[in-house]
Amino acid sequence: MDAKAAPKVRATLEDVAQEAQVSLATADRAVNKRPGVRAATVAKVNEAVRRLGYRPDPSAAKLARARLRRVAFLLPAGANRFVGLLSEQIQANAEWMHDQRIHADVLAVNVFNPVELAKALLAQVGQRDAVVVMALDHPVVRSAIDQLTQAGTVVITLVSDVPSSTRQHYVGINNTAAGRTAATLIGRFVGRHPAKVAIILGSLSLRDHAERYFGFNQVMAQEHPHLTVLPPLEGQDDAARNEALTTQLFALHPDLAAIYSVGAGNGGISTALCSLGRAQDTVFVGHELTPAARADLLNGTMDAVINQDAGHEIRSALRLALAQWSQEPVIADQERIRIDIYLKDNLP
Amino acid sequence: MDAKAAPKVRATLEDVAQEAQVSLATADRAVNKRPGVRAATVAKVNEAVRRLGYRPDPSAAKLARARLRRVAFLLPAGANRFVGLLSEQIQANAEWMHDQRIHADVLAVNVFNPVELAKALLAQVGQRDAVVVMALDHPVVRSAIDQLTQAGTVVITLVSDVPSSTRQHYVGINNTAAGRTAATLIGRFVGRHPAKVAIILGSLSLRDHAERYFGFNQVMAQEHPHLTVLPPLEGQDDAARNEALTTQLFALHPDLAAIYSVGAGNGGISTALCSLGRAQDTVFVGHELTPAARADLLNGTMDAVINQDAGHEIRSALRLALAQWSQEPVIADQERIRIDIYLKDNLP
DNA sequence: CTGTTAGCGCATTCAT
DNA sequence: ATGAATGCGCTAACAG
């Protein structure tokens, strides 16, 4: 037998160091982009990494790491139920985070005020290894995000994106596609006769709402021309306002056949539908599977709920951050946030 | 910087050993249920674990483990496309598995023959730390599963369950609920006029098919009494047979409004629908988002696809095995396999 | 049955 | 700018 060809399963940093003729510590510095290494040395190490196909062992890295990585979740204050689900999921993953050497804080911010949001973001500079933020797309916010990434913090947008910023990832659904999905559901549920469809949203200045509205109209216009989409109503994601809007809606259009609720505050719409005795015969499609939405699905008030899985989003954001920090492998397929459709029959 | 007060993070096995007045090795033996420890000692250690709230560190455990855990996936030979997706996903997770100290083999078995399946299962005794199997529910198979678990192998059923066996977990959807979902989709897509609905399945002796059929009928009978469900047709999951069945179906029932395909071989149904010129006006709902199904959704031949995420199932099975071996934490929420509904608009 | 000991692969001092 | 040495928490081989 030859002493040489030990079928080494996987190269270690030690191997890389040897191959590059440097010490373990230097190899580590180079691989993890730590300061204090000559460019020439870094190149040598990278070459060795390439030759040996080195990939760090996540278990070993976590075991050796002293410091926890600090991440901040910036979520809307004054919370609707979906945001509540997100916080719950952060809690639910606490043990796992600990195993991954992650420490997370949840900060409540008035995300509707760009200046405040930007201030909150900037306050994280130098304090966090990653910031996960449900952001408003606004120049001030974008600039704050850019400063954060510049400072070396990984920034991940959640649920609503800020595409022109330098955030490393967006974790959430394709909202245009979600709007299209809602349109197809309503179109097919209403049937082929002419009818009116109403649309209630939080605000057209929210990127996710605007995109859903856009997608919805696309499909309605192209595929269900017999349906008339009424002008959008803005309820600020507020249940009381939505209830009033819904009541007015039926006063003006007694023959209304369907409602698409783009944002939060669906409870108000349900309440109005019930008081008017129109809960069963109005097609009602909304977003986010909150406990109330689940109940409305079961009692027939809602006909379908389009959901994005809060737990999945939290874990995905964190896994992407880990990958960014330590070049852990990303399973692309796993990080795609699906547009879930729930009927009363396939509730989880 | 808040570099203050690093609190005592977490109890280690070392702490447990000290608390229980035993050595590290003994504590390890007790915690990992290895043989050769007096019951009294085990009790002492467990008590210490409880008092300190000890939980093993997965990273440290993986780093120290020399041997890879061996798992076998037993999948149907002569593969339909969905099974192909499962194998692909096993490949796609290879790096991750390696990081988790898992080695997996895929074995193709004739799962439709209980005796052969049982033999394949028994061949794994003593060879595997876990076996993940897409099984037929049959007494011989059940017995083989029981012998495997008796021998200390973790057994996980995939896609189709064997509930009366001692398998540790079932990873897959609730098939009754899936059938109900299909019924609601068809019921609402067809509309309120009387019509005929056909159902094509692989075989009623397959547990998952039978359960879907059951759920479908439940909802049809209770909620869509104006729809007539024709007797089920068995096509053995074979495209050619399904094509023939579909053609016959329309010969007998020219007014057929919808088809629910419970199993595989949807390509045959599509082909028949197209040749007959009935692709657009027949509501067609089936299972599993294969490339062909995706295409049929986009061209309007299929109206909805009910899916279970193959990648999610593979990862879930593996995570559950890890949890079983090393008491890693399970995020229950994450392991629930969802009944995905895909329309042309929310395709991933 | 129980204890002692030597790593696993990497992050992190502390030297040089 | 680089290297040597230490130890994270656990598994496993070896002693008693």
Side-chain angles (χ1 to χ4, degrees):
Chain A
M1 298 297 148
D2 58 1
K4 194 183 178 162
K8 187 91 182 163
V9 182
R10 184 166 162 171
T12 73
L13 231 206
E14 193 76 61
D15 300 330
V16 171
Q18 198 154 24
E19 177 84 8
Q21 322 241 44
V22 298
S23 72
L24 174 60
T26 297
D28 172 75
R29 290 183 184 104
V31 166
N32 293 305
K33 307 186 202 323
R34 280 186 254 277
V37 189
R38 262 185 317 174
T41 311
V42 172
K44 270 201 309 186
V45 173
N46 285 337
E47 175 55 17
V49 165
R50 209 191 47 64
R51 275 207 301 278
L52 301 181
Y54 170 74
R55 195 167 58 75
D57 181 330
S59 294
K62 271 160 202 137
L63 180 56
R65 168 167 293 109
R67 209 183 110 254
L68 296 182
R69 327 212 82 139
R70 299 151 307 173
V71 2
F73 285 89
L74 300 193
L75 301 181
N80 57 53
R81 302 295 281 111
F82 177 66
V83 174
L85 287 181
L86 288 172
S87 319
E88 278 173 32
Q89 287 299 330
I90 295 170
Q91 286 308 316
N93 286 282
E95 281 203 333
W96 177 81
M97 286 194 256
H98 192 180
D99 290 341
Q100 305 299 315
R101 303 299 188 268
I102 291 175
H103 171 82
D105 290 314
V106 178
L107 309 180
V109 183
N110 180 0
V111 277
F112 291 92
N113 181 333
V115 177
E116 235 176 277
L117 212 205
K119 203 159 60 177
L121 284 166
L122 291 176
Q124 309 307 317
V125 172
Q127 301 300 115
R128 306 288 177 173
D129 298 291
V131 169
V132 182
V133 57
M134 195 165 151
L136 183 72
D137 189 3
H138 183 283
V140 173
V141 174
R142 187 187 325 143
S143 156
I145 289 179
D146 292 350
Q147 289 179 62
L148 254 180
T149 61
Q150 221 80 58
T153 298
V154 172
V155 176
I156 296 175
T157 50
L158 190 68
V159 176
S160 190
D161 196 11
V162 185
S164 55
S165 70
T166 55
R167 91 282 182 280
Q168 277 84 348
H169 295 283
Y170 162 60
V171 172
I173 58 175
N174 175 334
N175 284 299
T176 305
R180 297 177 64 93
T181 304
T184 293
L185 285 168
I186 286 181
R188 302 218 48 169
F189 284 2
V190 167
R192 284 196 255 278
H193 58 280
K196 290 178 184 167
V197 177
I199 178 160
I200 297 177
L201 37 71
S203 159
L204 273 174
S205 69
L206 292 172
R207 174 167 213 102
D208 47 350
H209 290 205
E211 290 180 347
R212 289 173 189 175
Y213 178 55
F214 174 71
F216 185 81
N217 276 329
Q218 273 191 329
V219 170
M220 276 298 169
Q222 290 166 21
E223 300 177 21
H224 306 283
H226 58 289
L227 298 181
T228 307
V229 181
L230 302 175
L233 270 24
E234 301 190 78
Q236 316 301 329
D237 285 350
D238 181 75
R241 261 191 281 261
N242 283 350
E243 182 177 350
L245 287 175
T246 306
T247 306
Q248 290 163 34
L249 214 42
F250 279 95
L252 263 70
H253 311 280
D255 57 335
L256 190 69
I259 298 177
Y260 172 35
S261 172
V262 174
N266 291 335
I269 301 176
S270 294
T271 306
L273 284 173
C274 290
S275 333
L276 296 167
R278 300 295 299 269
Q280 299 303 314
D281 72 334
T282 307
V283 173
F284 175 19
V285 172
H287 282 264
E288 315 314 356
L289 191 65
T290 60
R294 167 190 292 273
D296 281 343
L297 227 31
L298 288 172
N299 70 31
T301 302
M302 293 192 81
D303 297 85
V305 168
I306 297 174
N307 184 253
Q308 48 191 320
D309 191 281
H312 188 180
E313 294 186 320
I314 296 302
R315 288 185 293 274
S316 186
L318 261 11
R319 278 192 299 259
L320 289 170
L322 279 170
Q324 204 76 30
W325 293 325
S326 321
Q327 37 194 301
E328 292 188 24
V330 171
I331 302 163
D333 206 85
Q334 181 176 203
E335 308 311 346
R336 193 168 298 121
I337 308 298
R338 288 174 283 186
I339 299 173
D340 303 326
I341 299 174
Y342 286 113
L343 308 178
K344 67 181 191 323
D345 304 287
N346 67 329
L347 288 172
Chain B
M1 300 306 230
D2 51 5
K4 272 235 174 76
K8 171 67 180 171
V9 190
R10 185 167 162 171
T12 72
L13 230 207
E14 193 76 63
D15 300 330
V16 170
Q18 195 155 25
E19 177 84 7
Q21 323 241 43
V22 297
S23 73
L24 174 60
T26 298
D28 170 71
R29 291 183 184 104
V31 165
N32 292 305
K33 308 187 201 323
R34 280 188 254 276
V37 190
R38 261 187 314 171
T41 312
V42 172
K44 269 200 311 189
V45 174
N46 286 335
E47 174 56 17
V49 165
R50 209 191 46 65
R51 275 206 301 278
L52 300 181
Y54 169 75
R55 195 166 59 75
D57 182 329
S59 295
K62 273 164 200 132
L63 180 56
R65 167 166 299 108
R67 214 183 101 251
L68 296 182
R69 325 212 83 139
R70 297 151 307 171
V71 2
F73 285 89
L74 300 194
L75 300 182
N80 56 54
R81 301 297 280 113
F82 178 67
V83 174
L85 287 180
L86 288 172
S87 318
E88 278 174 32
Q89 287 299 330
I90 295 171
Q91 286 309 315
N93 286 281
E95 281 204 334
W96 177 81
M97 286 195 256
H98 192 182
D99 290 341
Q100 305 299 316
R101 304 297 188 270
I102 290 175
H103 171 81
D105 290 314
V106 179
L107 309 180
V109 183
N110 180 359
V111 279
F112 290 92
N113 180 333
V115 177
E116 236 177 276
L117 213 203
K119 203 159 60 176
L121 283 166
L122 291 176
Q124 309 309 317
V125 172
Q127 300 301 116
R128 306 289 177 173
D129 298 291
V131 169
V132 182
V133 57
M134 197 165 151
L136 182 75
D137 190 3
H138 182 283
V140 172
V141 174
R142 186 188 324 143
S143 156
I145 290 179
D146 292 351
Q147 288 178 63
L148 255 181
T149 61
Q150 220 80 57
T153 298
V154 171
V155 176
I156 296 176
T157 51
L158 191 69
V159 177
S160 189
D161 196 13
V162 186
S164 55
S165 71
T166 54
R167 93 281 184 277
Q168 276 86 349
H169 295 284
Y170 163 60
V171 172
I173 59 175
N174 175 333
N175 284 301
T176 305
R180 298 178 63 94
T181 303
T184 293
L185 285 168
I186 287 182
R188 301 217 49 170
F189 283 3
V190 167
R192 283 195 257 279
H193 58 279
K196 290 179 184 165
V197 177
I199 177 161
I200 296 178
L201 35 70
S203 159
L204 273 173
S205 69
L206 292 172
R207 174 167 215 104
D208 48 349
H209 290 204
E211 288 179 348
R212 289 173 189 175
Y213 178 56
F214 175 71
F216 186 80
N217 276 328
Q218 273 191 331
V219 169
M220 276 297 168
Q222 289 165 21
E223 299 176 22
H224 304 285
H226 59 290
L227 297 181
T228 306
V229 180
L230 301 175
L233 269 23
E234 302 190 77
Q236 315 303 330
D237 285 350
D238 180 76
R241 263 192 279 261
N242 282 350
E243 182 177 350
L245 287 174
T246 306
T247 307
Q248 290 162 34
L249 214 42
F250 278 96
L252 263 71
H253 310 278
D255 57 334
L256 190 68
I259 298 177
Y260 172 35
S261 171
V262 173
N266 290 335
I269 301 176
S270 294
T271 305
L273 284 173
C274 289
S275 332
L276 295 167
R278 300 295 300 269
Q280 299 303 314
D281 72 334
T282 306
V283 173
F284 175 19
V285 173
H287 283 264
E288 315 316 357
L289 192 65
T290 59
R294 168 190 292 271
D296 282 344
L297 227 30
L298 288 172
N299 70 30
T301 303
M302 293 193 80
D303 297 85
V305 167
I306 298 174
N307 184 253
Q308 47 191 322
D309 191 281
H312 188 180
E313 294 187 319
I314 296 302
R315 288 185 291 275
S316 186
L318 260 11
R319 279 193 298 260
L320 289 170
L322 279 170
Q324 203 77 31
W325 293 324
S326 323
Q327 38 195 300
E328 290 187 27
V330 170
I331 302 163
D333 207 83
Q334 182 177 204
E335 308 312 344
R336 193 169 299 120
I337 308 298
R338 287 173 284 183
I339 299 173
D340 302 327
I341 299 174
Y342 286 113
L343 308 178
K344 67 181 189 328
D345 304 287
N346 67 330
L347 288 173

